[in-house]
Amino acid sequence: MAPMGIRLSPLGMAVFCLLGLGVLYHLYSGFLAGRFAFFMLSEPAAGGPETSHGSAPGGAVDLRELLAVSVLAAVRGGEEVKRVREGNVLNAKAKGKTREGAEEQLTTGDLLSNRRMFYLLKGAFPAVQINSEERVDTADQETVSWDRSIPEDIKQKIQPKEVPAESVTVWIDPLDATQEYTEDLRQYVTTMVCVAVNGKPVIGVIHKPFSSYTAWAMVDGGSNVKARSSYNEKTPRIIVSRSHAGKVEQVARQTFGNKTVIIPAGGAGYKVLALLDVPEKNQEEADVYIHVTYIKKWDICAGNAVLRALGGHMTTLTGEEISYTGSDGNEGGLIASINMNHKALIEKLPDLEKTSHK
């Protein structure tokens, strides 16, 4: 006899299928709920730093806006520098030594300017990397807002231009020429902001707090400063650091002639302005700027950007372009010029490069 089979009725089959679907629904809905919770926890909170106007990770930065806030930052920092100096509350102290053995000074002006400049820039562009000469104390955080207004002269000369936020590095020098600042040599003091894109300086701001003069420029954009029209390439006036004047003078006179004028000065920002047409009564004029030792990038980035925007050059002593990524120091010294044969200048100064790593 054939074995007896079990046959389900159509109603039983329907009940069995419904039970199966119920089990699958329960399992899959739990999985979806878990994925949804993970997604919500992974997203930044609405209105958080990552979603603020200006920039976002993986987003874009408008260089015209960044120029506007950089000018404001340099001016605001300069206000702190001037207030501290005029109040004679510098509280100067040594923060270390240079490679040449000279003491580096730190004042209240450096710290307050740095705080004001850093938090203004960081608040406006939270996703952008900012490198500053002074350490930022997170316990002393300051809320400095930007109303997003763009000065008319920038509006008229600069068009909006967006670049990826991750390609931007901002370099701040909250008080250039601190040594001269402590000696009350105010004409040398500047506050500076530089914007580099993929390591190339494209925006430079140099502000003189004690005269309220500000120079700014953007590569392939515009500027509020011009190069001087007259230069003497045969017997140039060479501006150098006060501490390095003796080191440069002998070689400079040998290469350019005994009539070469050596101008000792403080501050990298001041020295770059000496190459330009600056309406300042206390601003000396020079044809070439030379630095023969190690120098930090926040000292030179803004000046480099301004010169590039005006068709000038700032390179190492061997003619290499300076990259504003990676380490904060430039090992190869520098030579800067504008409206001159830069390559010919470098060829005249072969011996200076040997001293740049000391």
Side-chain angles (χ1 to χ4, degrees), residues 297-353:
K297 291 178 181 177
W298 42 67
D299 290 317
I300 59 176
C301 186
N304 198 342
V306 171
L307 288 174
R308 285 188 69 223
L310 298 176
H313 302 274
M314 179 185 288
T315 66
T316 66
L317 294 171
T318 57
E320 297 177 357
E321 297 294 332
I322 301 169
S323 175
Y324 293 91
T325 57
S327 69
D328 59 15
N330 173 50
E331 296 279 357
L334 69 86
I335 179 169
S337 69
I338 188 167
N339 289 344
M340 297 183 75
N341 188 332
H342 193 77
K343 184 178 180 181
L345 290 173
I346 293 169
E347 291 172 350
K348 288 181 178 181
L349 299 170
D351 295 329
L352 288 178
E353 197 276 333

Coordinates of all heavy atoms in Angstrom, one line a residue, residues 297-353:
K297 N 57.3 80.1 8.0 CA 56.5 80.4 6.9 C 55.4 81.5 7.2 O 55.0 82.2 6.3 CB 55.8 79.1 6.4 CG 56.8 78.2 5.8 CD 56.2 76.8 5.3 CE 57.3 75.9 4.7 NZ 56.7 74.6 4.3
W298 N 55.0 81.6 8.5 CA 54.0 82.6 8.7 C 54.6 84.0 8.6 O 53.9 85.0 8.5 CB 53.3 82.4 10.1 CG 54.3 82.0 11.2 CD1 55.3 82.8 11.7 CD2 54.3 80.8 11.9 NE1 56.0 82.1 12.7 CE2 55.4 80.8 12.8 CE3 53.6 79.6 11.8 CZ2 55.7 79.7 13.6 CZ3 53.9 78.5 12.6 CH2 55.0 78.6 13.5
D299 N 56.0 84.1 8.7 CA 56.6 85.4 8.5 C 56.6 85.8 7.0 O 56.7 87.0 6.8 CB 58.1 85.3 8.9 CG 58.3 85.1 10.4 OD1 57.6 85.9 11.2 OD2 59.1 84.3 10.9
I300 N 56.6 84.9 6.1 CA 56.8 85.3 4.7 C 55.7 84.9 3.8 O 55.7 85.4 2.6 CB 58.1 84.6 4.2 CG1 58.0 83.0 4.3 CG2 59.3 85.0 5.0 CD1 59.2 82.3 3.7
C301 N 54.7 84.2 4.2 CA 53.6 83.7 3.3 C 52.8 84.9 2.7 O 52.6 85.0 1.5 CB 52.7 82.7 4.0 SG 51.5 82.0 2.9
A302 N 52.4 85.8 3.6 CA 51.6 87.0 3.1 C 52.4 87.8 2.1 O 51.8 88.2 1.1 CB 51.2 87.8 4.3
G303 N 53.6 88.1 2.4 CA 54.4 88.9 1.5 C 54.7 88.2 0.2 O 54.7 88.8 -0.9
N304 N 54.8 86.8 0.3 CA 55.0 86.0 -1.0 C 53.7 86.2 -1.8 O 53.8 86.3 -3.1 CB 55.2 84.6 -0.6 CG 55.8 83.8 -1.7 OD1 55.8 84.1 -2.9 ND2 56.4 82.6 -1.4
A305 N 52.6 86.1 -1.2 CA 51.3 86.2 -2.0 C 51.1 87.5 -2.6 O 50.7 87.6 -3.8 CB 50.1 85.9 -1.0
V306 N 51.5 88.6 -1.9 CA 51.3 89.9 -2.4 C 52.3 90.1 -3.6 O 51.9 90.6 -4.7 CB 51.6 91.0 -1.3 CG1 51.7 92.4 -2.0 CG2 50.6 91.0 -0.2
L307 N 53.5 89.7 -3.5 CA 54.4 89.8 -4.6 C 54.0 89.0 -5.8 O 54.1 89.5 -6.9 CB 55.8 89.3 -4.2 CG 56.6 90.3 -3.2 CD1 57.9 89.6 -2.7 CD2 56.9 91.6 -3.8
R308 N 53.5 87.8 -5.6 CA 53.0 86.9 -6.7 C 51.9 87.6 -7.4 O 51.8 87.6 -8.7 CB 52.6 85.6 -6.2 CG 53.7 84.6 -5.8 CD 53.1 83.2 -5.6 NE 52.6 82.6 -6.8 CZ 51.5 81.9 -6.9 NH1 50.7 81.8 -5.8 NH2 51.1 81.3 -8.0
A309 N 51.0 88.2 -6.7 CA 49.8 88.9 -7.3 C 50.2 90.1 -8.1 O 49.5 90.4 -9.1 CB 48.8 89.3 -6.2
L310 N 51.3 90.7 -7.8 CA 51.8 91.9 -8.5 C 52.9 91.5 -9.6 O 53.5 92.4 -10.2 CB 52.4 92.9 -7.5 CG 51.4 93.5 -6.5 CD1 52.1 94.4 -5.5 CD2 50.2 94.2 -7.2
G311 N 53.1 90.2 -9.8 CA 54.1 89.8 -10.8 C 55.5 89.7 -10.2 O 56.4 89.5 -11.0
G312 N 55.7 89.8 -8.9 CA 57.0 89.7 -8.3 C 57.4 88.2 -8.0 O 56.6 87.3 -8.3
H313 N 58.5 88.1 -7.3 CA 59.0 86.7 -6.9 C 59.5 86.7 -5.5 O 60.1 87.7 -5.0 CB 60.1 86.3 -7.9 CG 59.7 86.3 -9.3 ND1 59.1 85.2 -9.9 CD2 59.8 87.2 -10.3 CE1 58.8 85.5 -11.2 NE2 59.3 86.7 -11.4
M314 N 59.3 85.6 -4.8 CA 59.9 85.3 -3.6 C 60.3 83.8 -3.6 O 59.4 82.9 -3.7 CB 59.1 85.6 -2.4 CG 59.8 85.2 -1.0 SD 58.8 85.4 0.4 CE 58.7 87.2 0.6
T315 N 61.6 83.5 -3.6 CA 62.0 82.1 -3.7 C 63.1 81.9 -2.7 O 63.6 82.8 -2.0 CB 62.6 81.8 -5.1 OG1 63.8 82.6 -5.3 CG2 61.7 82.2 -6.2
T316 N 63.6 80.6 -2.6 CA 64.8 80.4 -1.8 C 66.0 81.0 -2.5 O 65.9 81.5 -3.7 CB 65.0 78.8 -1.7 OG1 65.3 78.3 -3.0 CG2 63.8 78.1 -1.1
L317 N 67.1 81.0 -1.9 CA 68.3 81.6 -2.5 C 68.8 80.8 -3.7 O 69.6 81.4 -4.5 CB 69.4 81.6 -1.4 CG 69.1 82.6 -0.2 CD1 70.2 82.4 0.8 CD2 69.1 84.0 -0.7
T318 N 68.3 79.6 -3.9 CA 68.6 78.9 -5.1 C 67.5 78.9 -6.2 O 67.6 78.3 -7.2 CB 68.9 77.4 -4.8 OG1 67.8 76.8 -4.1 CG2 70.1 77.3 -3.9
G319 N 66.5 79.7 -5.9 CA 65.5 79.9 -6.9 C 64.3 78.9 -6.8 O 63.4 79.0 -7.7
E320 N 64.2 78.1 -5.8 CA 63.1 77.2 -5.6 C 61.9 77.9 -5.0 O 62.0 78.7 -4.2 CB 63.5 76.0 -4.7 CG 64.6 75.2 -5.3 CD 65.1 74.1 -4.3 OE1 64.5 74.0 -3.2 OE2 65.9 73.3 -4.7
E321 N 60.7 77.5 -5.5 CA 59.5 78.0 -5.0 C 59.3 77.5 -3.6 O 59.6 76.4 -3.3 CB 58.3 77.7 -5.8 CG 58.3 78.2 -7.2 CD 58.2 79.7 -7.3 OE1 57.5 80.3 -6.3 OE2 58.7 80.4 -8.2
I322 N 58.7 78.3 -2.7 CA 58.5 77.9 -1.3 C 57.0 77.4 -1.2 O 56.1 78.0 -1.5 CB 58.7 79.1 -0.4 CG1 60.1 79.7 -0.5 CG2 58.4 78.7 1.1 CD1 60.3 81.0 0.1
S323 N 56.9 76.1 -0.6 CA 55.6 75.5 -0.5 C 55.1 75.8 0.9 O 55.8 75.6 1.9 CB 55.7 74.0 -0.7 OG 54.5 73.4 -0.4
Y324 N 53.8 76.2 1.0 CA 53.2 76.5 2.3 C 52.3 75.4 2.8 O 51.2 75.6 3.1 CB 52.5 77.8 2.2 CG 53.5 78.9 2.0 CD1 53.9 79.3 0.7 CD2 54.1 79.5 3.0 CE1 54.8 80.3 0.5 CE2 55.1 80.5 2.8 CZ 55.4 80.9 1.5 OH 56.4 81.9 1.3
T325 N 52.9 74.2 2.7 CA 52.3 73.0 3.4 C 53.4 72.3 4.2 O 54.5 72.7 4.1 CB 51.7 72.0 2.3 OG1 52.8 71.6 1.4 CG2 50.6 72.6 1.5
G326 N 53.0 71.3 4.9 CA 54.0 70.5 5.7 C 54.6 71.3 6.8 O 53.8 72.0 7.6
S327 N 55.9 71.3 7.0 CA 56.6 72.0 8.1 C 56.3 73.5 8.1 O 56.0 74.1 7.1 CB 58.1 71.6 8.1 OG 58.7 72.3 7.0
D328 N 56.5 74.1 9.3 CA 56.3 75.5 9.4 C 57.5 76.4 9.1 O 57.5 77.6 9.2 CB 55.7 75.9 10.7 CG 56.6 75.5 11.9 OD1 57.8 75.2 11.6 OD2 56.2 75.5 13.0
G329 N 58.6 75.7 8.7 CA 59.9 76.5 8.5 C 60.4 76.4 7.0 O 60.1 75.4 6.3
N330 N 61.1 77.4 6.6 CA 61.7 77.4 5.3 C 63.2 77.4 5.5 O 63.8 78.3 6.1 CB 61.3 78.7 4.5 CG 62.1 78.8 3.2 OD1 62.2 77.9 2.4 ND2 62.7 80.0 3.0
E331 N 63.9 76.3 5.0 CA 65.3 76.1 5.3 C 66.2 76.9 4.3 O 67.4 77.0 4.6 CB 65.6 74.6 5.2 CG 64.9 73.8 6.2 CD 65.6 73.8 7.6 OE1 66.7 74.4 7.6 OE2 65.1 73.1 8.5
G332 N 65.7 77.3 3.2 CA 66.6 77.7 2.1 C 66.8 79.2 2.0 O 67.3 79.7 0.9
G333 N 66.5 80.0 3.1 CA 66.7 81.4 3.0 C 65.7 82.0 1.9 O 64.8 81.2 1.4
L334 N 65.8 83.2 1.6 CA 64.9 83.8 0.6 C 65.5 85.0 -0.1 O 66.3 85.7 0.5 CB 63.5 84.1 1.1 CG 63.4 85.3 2.1 CD1 63.2 86.6 1.3 CD2 62.2 85.0 3.0
I335 N 65.0 85.2 -1.3 CA 65.3 86.4 -2.1 C 64.0 86.9 -2.7 O 63.3 86.0 -3.3 CB 66.5 86.2 -3.1 CG1 66.7 87.6 -3.9 CG2 66.2 85.1 -4.0 CD1 68.0 87.5 -4.7
A336 N 63.7 88.1 -2.6 CA 62.4 88.6 -3.1 C 62.7 89.9 -3.9 O 63.5 90.7 -3.6 CB 61.5 89.0 -2.0
S337 N 62.0 90.0 -5.0 CA 62.1 91.1 -5.9 C 60.8 91.3 -6.7 O 60.0 90.4 -6.8 CB 63.3 90.9 -6.9 OG 63.0 89.9 -7.8
I338 N 60.7 92.5 -7.4 CA 59.6 92.7 -8.3 C 60.0 93.6 -9.4 O 60.8 94.5 -9.2 CB 58.4 93.3 -7.5 CG1 57.1 93.4 -8.4 CG2 58.7 94.6 -6.9 CD1 55.9 93.6 -7.6
N339 N 59.6 93.4 -10.6 CA 60.0 94.1 -11.8 C 61.5 94.1 -12.0 O 62.1 95.1 -12.5 CB 59.5 95.6 -11.7 CG 58.0 95.7 -11.9 OD1 57.3 94.7 -12.3 ND2 57.4 96.8 -11.5
M340 N 62.1 93.0 -11.6 CA 63.5 92.8 -11.9 C 63.8 91.4 -12.4 O 62.9 90.6 -12.4 CB 64.3 93.0 -10.6 CG 64.2 94.4 -10.0 SD 65.2 94.6 -8.5 CE 66.8 94.7 -9.2
N341 N 65.0 91.2 -13.0 CA 65.3 89.9 -13.5 C 65.7 89.0 -12.3 O 66.8 89.0 -11.8 CB 66.5 90.0 -14.4 CG 66.8 88.6 -15.1 OD1 66.5 87.6 -14.6 ND2 67.3 88.7 -16.3
H342 N 64.7 88.3 -11.8 CA 64.9 87.5 -10.5 C 66.0 86.4 -10.7 O 66.8 86.2 -9.8 CB 63.6 86.9 -10.1 CG 63.6 86.4 -8.7 ND1 63.5 87.2 -7.6 CD2 63.7 85.1 -8.2 CE1 63.5 86.5 -6.5 NE2 63.6 85.2 -6.8
K343 N 65.9 85.8 -11.8 CA 66.9 84.7 -12.1 C 68.3 85.3 -12.1 O 69.3 84.7 -11.5 CB 66.6 84.0 -13.4 CG 67.5 82.9 -13.7 CD 67.1 82.2 -15.0 CE 68.0 81.0 -15.3 NZ 67.7 80.4 -16.6
A344 N 68.5 86.5 -12.7 CA 69.8 87.1 -12.7 C 70.3 87.4 -11.3 O 71.5 87.3 -10.9 CB 69.8 88.3 -13.6
L345 N 69.4 87.9 -10.4 CA 69.7 88.2 -9.1 C 70.2 86.9 -8.3 O 71.2 87.0 -7.6 CB 68.5 88.8 -8.3 CG 68.1 90.2 -8.7 CD1 66.7 90.5 -8.1 CD2 69.1 91.2 -8.4
I346 N 69.5 85.8 -8.5 CA 69.9 84.6 -7.9 C 71.3 84.2 -8.3 O 72.2 83.7 -7.5 CB 68.9 83.5 -8.2 CG1 67.6 83.8 -7.5 CG2 69.4 82.1 -7.7 CD1 66.4 83.0 -8.0
E347 N 71.6 84.3 -9.6 CA 72.9 83.9 -10.1 C 74.0 84.8 -9.6 O 75.2 84.3 -9.5 CB 72.9 84.0 -11.6 CG 72.0 82.9 -12.3 CD 71.8 83.1 -13.8 OE1 72.3 84.1 -14.3 OE2 71.3 82.2 -14.4
K348 N 73.7 86.0 -9.1 CA 74.7 86.8 -8.5 C 75.0 86.5 -7.1 O 76.0 87.0 -6.5 CB 74.3 88.3 -8.6 CG 74.3 88.9 -10.0 CD 73.9 90.3 -10.0 CE 74.0 90.9 -11.4 NZ 73.6 92.3 -11.5
L349 N 74.2 85.7 -6.4 CA 74.3 85.5 -5.0 C 74.6 84.0 -4.7 O 73.8 83.4 -3.9 CB 73.1 85.9 -4.3 CG 72.7 87.4 -4.4 CD1 71.3 87.7 -3.9 CD2 73.8 88.3 -3.7
P350 N 75.5 83.3 -5.3 CA 75.7 81.9 -5.1 C 76.2 81.6 -3.7 O 76.0 80.5 -3.2 CB 76.8 81.5 -6.1 CG 77.6 82.8 -6.3 CD 76.5 83.9 -6.2
D351 N 76.9 82.5 -3.0 CA 77.5 82.2 -1.7 C 76.6 82.3 -0.6 O 76.8 81.7 0.5 CB 78.7 83.1 -1.5 CG 79.8 82.8 -2.5 OD1 80.0 81.7 -2.9 OD2 80.6 83.8 -2.8
L352 N 75.5 83.0 -0.7 CA 74.6 83.2 0.4 C 73.8 82.0 0.8 O 73.5 81.8 1.9 CB 73.6 84.3 0.1 CG 74.2 85.8 0.0 CD1 73.1 86.8 -0.3 CD2 74.8 86.1 1.4
E353 N 73.6 81.1 -0.2 CA 72.8 79.9 0.1 C 73.5 79.0 1.2 O 72.8 78.3 1.9 CB 72.5 79.1 -1.2 CG 71.4 78.1 -1.1 CD 71.9 76.7 -0.5 OE1 73.0 76.4 -0.7 OE2 71.0 76.0 0.1

